[in-house]
Amino acid sequence: MTVRTPDSGLVALEPRYEAMTRVLPFVFLPIPLLPYALTQSPGAGAFGITAAIAVLTGAWYAWMVLLHPGWTQRQWLMGVYVAGLVSLIMVLTIRSPWFAFFSWVGLMHAFRYLAGAWRWAASVPVALSIGMAQTGGFRRPTVAWALIVVVVACIDLGLMGGFGMLGMRSEEQNQARKKMIAELAAANASLHDMMAENTGLQTQLLTQAREAGILEERQRIAREIHDTLAQGLAGIITQLEAADGGGAEKGRRIANAKRLARESLTEARRSVQALRPAALEDNRLPDALTKVAERWSAASGVAAEVVATGAARALHPEVEATLLRVTQEALSNVAKHAAAARVWVTLSYMEDLVTLDVRDDGAGFEPGDVPGDAPADAGGGFGLTVMRQRVRRLAGSLEVESEPGSGTVISASLPAIPLAPGCPDEEGGAEERR
Ligand SMILES: Nc1ncnc2c1ncn2[C@@H]1O[C@H](COP(=O)(O)OP(=O)(O)OP(=O)(O)O)[C@@H](O)[C@H]1O
Ligand SMILES: [Mg+2]
């Protein structure tokens, strides 16, 4: 990610500026030779020596800085370099004041490559050589001339050093700003990545939540179909099959089948509207279980006894609906599979728990491990699985105890969640059931 700041344009120019400052010494080094030749009329030998010193200066700079950029990080080496450069500048300026035009390179490099007091120490001879050039160049020294040179050099040093320090400060600030911008860009980039990751996670969570919702609803519909339509149809088939035999029972069996059909239809409609079971609409749980057992007894011909122990009280509608459905499926299983003579339904209210046992004295079976304790050779029965799902949804547990020939006990244990005050059920309204 690119961060644009007001000085982005200047920052972009920096490499070019840097390249220019590297090349400029080679421009300013030969130029003074021309006015030197024209104004001081040196002999060929003297000119040659001056030109050779100029070439040496250029070569010194090229060797120590341009060809070995790594050396610029080594303080003592740069001390040697600046000392050499300043000495050459002094020699050149003594030979011709025109080389003062090149002296600024000495100052620039003293500030760039040296640290602390060494910068000023290296700047003093450069300032003196510039001062000397400004006062007309080197001549036979007199006290007055030397004083003037020193004063001019001090002024030069103050001005140039001041500007040099300002330049250094702004360079430092520039570097700090660049570092800050780079850090900001990195932070922005990681923020950007994190946001992208976050969006991905959110999408994933939404998908998972939607899938979980779909699965939960699918399971609810499966449970409702099993406990209303499938159970009812199984009962109707049993009654009609019994009626087929004719005899005195026929009328009663057909009446049972009709009643079962009506009840199943009502239950199916209520489950479409997500309402609680009809049996709990007007009755408290112990009464509802008693009525269910009585009807079941009448239809199946198996004696059923319902006992409630402990302090019976209104519980959360979901808890009551679950216990009712478990009882209905357990009874339905007894009728279908147990060939039992008797069934005992026990509802026990304890302080924090409510338990339900449905025991029969029928054929029993060998409970398998999974799913839902169905026997290992079960042909895809769903009733025990549904019971277990319902009970687990409310943080309860379901036990199946059975053995061939020894009857079966289905035990459900649920937290006795009290009916919340103000709950629609309290006011006689329809309670949502899931
Ligand atoms: N009280 C019982 N006595 C004897 N066997 C039982 C009893 N309850 C369950 N079983 C055995 O466990 C199996 C699984 O019961 P489950 O209720 O899960 O399925 P189902 O009754 O066969 O079919 P569905 O309930 O889906 O109509 C039954 O097929 C039966 O073999
Ligand atoms: Mg069943």
Side-chain angles (χ1 to χ4, degrees):
M1 172 181 277
T2 312
V3 176
R4 284 209 62 79
T5 59
D7 61 355
S8 287
L10 287 178
V11 171
L13 280 178
E14 260 173 29
R16 265 196 257 172
Y17 172 76
E18 189 64 28
M20 208 172 72
T21 56
R22 282 167 176 276
V23 173
L24 273 182
F26 296 111
V27 177
F28 281 87
L29 204 47
I31 287 175
L33 286 173
L34 185 63
Y36 164 57
L38 294 176
T39 60
Q40 291 178 245
S41 312
F47 184 84
I49 290 170
T50 306
I53 296 170
V55 169
L56 180 66
T57 307
W60 179 245
Y61 163 60
W63 178 254
M64 294 296 284
V65 175
L66 295 187
L67 297 177
H68 299 94
W71 289 0
T72 58
Q73 305 304 319
R74 290 155 73 174
Q75 277 292 294
W76 71 269
L77 252 182
M78 284 300 100
V80 172
Y81 162 65
V82 174
L85 180 70
V86 168
S87 308
L88 289 165
I89 285 171
M90 287 192 74
V91 173
L92 283 170
T93 323
I94 287 170
R95 295 187 70 80
S96 166
W98 293 106
F99 279 98
F101 285 111
F102 176 74
S103 301
W104 62 270
V105 175
L107 278 180
M108 199 175 82
H109 287 194
F111 274 82
R112 175 172 281 200
Y113 299 120
L114 299 183
W118 290 109
R119 287 171 175 165
W120 296 100
S123 300
V124 170
V126 180
L128 282 173
S129 64
I130 293 172
M132 188 175 63
Q134 284 168 328
T135 54
F138 185 73
R139 67 186 69 168
R140 188 136 40 98
T142 61
V143 176
W145 176 74
L147 268 177
I148 290 170
V149 168
V150 168
V151 170
V152 173
C154 282
I155 294 169
D156 285 342
L157 196 61
L159 284 174
M160 291 183 292
F163 283 120
M165 284 306 283
L166 269 179
M168 295 284 299
R169 288 274 171 277
S170 88
E171 175 63 14
E172 277 165 19
Q173 281 177 357
N174 206 10
Q175 291 302 331
R177 201 162 47 229
K178 264 203 250 174
K179 196 170 158 232
M180 215 165 72
I181 289 171
E183 283 169 2
L184 205 65
N188 261 345
S190 78
L191 201 67
H192 197 257
D193 289 352
M194 269 162 62
M195 274 165 64
E197 198 179 329
N198 208 14
T199 312
L201 278 175
Q202 269 181 349
T203 316
Q204 201 179 331
L205 272 178
L206 276 178
T207 312
Q208 280 174 359
R210 201 178 309 125
E211 281 168 2
I214 291 170
L215 186 69
E216 163 73 4
E217 184 56 10
R218 222 176 255 164
Q219 286 181 346
R220 184 188 84 83
I221 291 170
R223 287 196 295 268
E224 295 305 312
I225 289 175
H226 178 273
D227 288 355
T228 58
L229 291 177
Q231 221 174 63
L233 285 172
I236 291 165
I237 290 167
T238 312
Q239 296 301 319
L240 292 178
E241 278 172 355
D244 267 352
E249 285 285 280
K250 187 174 176 179
R252 193 176 67 83
R253 294 292 187 183
I254 289 176
N256 276 347
K258 278 188 195 163
R259 182 181 52 76
L260 272 174
R262 268 194 298 275
E263 281 175 6
S264 302
L265 185 62
T266 309
E267 287 295 277
R269 282 192 175 134
R270 292 180 68 80
S271 105
V272 167
Q273 291 163 20
L275 298 175
R276 65 187 312 203
L280 287 169
E281 193 66 6
D282 305 316
N283 303 292
R284 287 301 173 201
L285 184 61
D287 302 332
L289 294 191
T290 307
K291 283 191 181 163
V292 163
E294 279 169 5
R295 285 199 188 158
W296 175 81
S297 254
S300 64
V302 180
E305 187 183 314
V306 178
V307 177
T309 67
R313 55 196 185 271
L315 296 178
H316 192 283
E318 292 228 20
V319 175
E320 294 197 340
T322 299
L323 292 170
L324 181 89
R325 291 297 187 213
V326 169
T327 308
Q328 284 175 325
E329 174 57 14
L331 291 177
S332 165
N333 277 351
V334 174
K336 268 162 66 179
H337 311 295
R342 226 179 154 71
V343 174
W344 295 267
V345 178
T346 311
L347 181 65
S348 309
Y349 287 91
M350 285 166 263
E351 199 177 334
D352 299 322
L353 280 182
V354 56
T355 62
L356 171 81
D357 290 338
V358 181
R359 184 162 65 86
D360 68 68
D361 59 357
F365 66 103
E366 194 75 61
D369 291 330
V370 280
D373 300 296
D377 60 346
F382 193 43
L384 291 176
T385 307
V386 165
M387 280 191 212
R388 196 173 290 286
Q389 277 182 6
R390 285 190 186 279
V391 168
R392 281 192 179 157
R393 274 190 74 240
L394 301 181
S397 62
L398 186 93
E399 302 284 329
V400 178
E401 279 177 54
S402 190
E403 211 179 298
S406 302
T408 302
V409 186
I410 305 286
S411 307
S413 171
L414 288 171
I417 307 165
L419 181 66
C423 180
D425 189 67
E426 280 269 273
E427 293 140 21
E431 176 60 30
E432 193 174 303
R433 182 183 49 141
R434 298 169 68 96

